Amino acid sequence: MAEGFARTIGEGKIVVTSSGLESSKVHPTAVQVMSEIGIDITDQTSKPLSDFQAEDYDAVISLCGCGVNLPEAWVLREVFQDWQLDDPDGEPIETFHRVRDEIKERVEKLVSSLE
């Protein structure tokens, strides 16, 4: 969801990539709640962190509250934020809506701060 918002809100302002400890697809309910607001994240995937080099990025955002476990090079980027967000997997759709809206607010602030 964060990548979808960052691509939409930051269009023409920032370049966005998404990674995780391993590659993964987007949760179907996340696709659904984003489509409700006109953002298609169907084809998004996260690639393994090992596919990227920290020095290629100015800003790094961790979405799991586990950023302290990232290699030091990632944590020391110019902008590093570790967003404590609930994992909506296995939760009712209302949780997906709430987390989606929290992510949107944070992405809006982030993109604004990077301009």
Side-chain angles (χ1 to χ4, degrees), residues 51-79:
D51 285 1
F52 302 98
Q53 299 298 316
E55 59 271 9
D56 294 336
Y57 297 89
D58 297 320
V60 174
I61 309 303
S62 171
L63 300 178
C64 62
C66 58
V68 295
N69 296 323
L70 289 172
E72 187 176 78
W74 291 98
V75 177
L76 296 177
R77 301 318 311 147
E78 185 177 331
V79 174

Side-chain angles (χ1 to χ4, degrees), residues 27-91:
H27 194 288
T29 308
V31 172
Q32 176 187 338
V33 299
M34 291 297 283
S35 71
E36 292 171 2
I37 59 170
I39 299 175
D40 181 8
I41 62 171
T42 306
D43 295 327
Q44 286 182 194
T45 59
S46 68
K47 295 161 190 63
L49 188 62
S50 59
D51 285 1
F52 302 98
Q53 299 298 316
E55 59 271 9
D56 294 336
Y57 297 89
D58 297 320
V60 174
I61 309 303
S62 171
L63 300 178
C64 62
C66 58
V68 295
N69 296 323
L70 289 172
E72 187 176 78
W74 291 98
V75 177
L76 296 177
R77 301 318 311 147
E78 185 177 331
V79 174
F80 176 80
Q81 295 179 12
D82 194 12
W83 296 352
Q84 297 277 334
L85 297 166
D86 291 336
D87 182 354
D89 187 27
E91 299 295 326

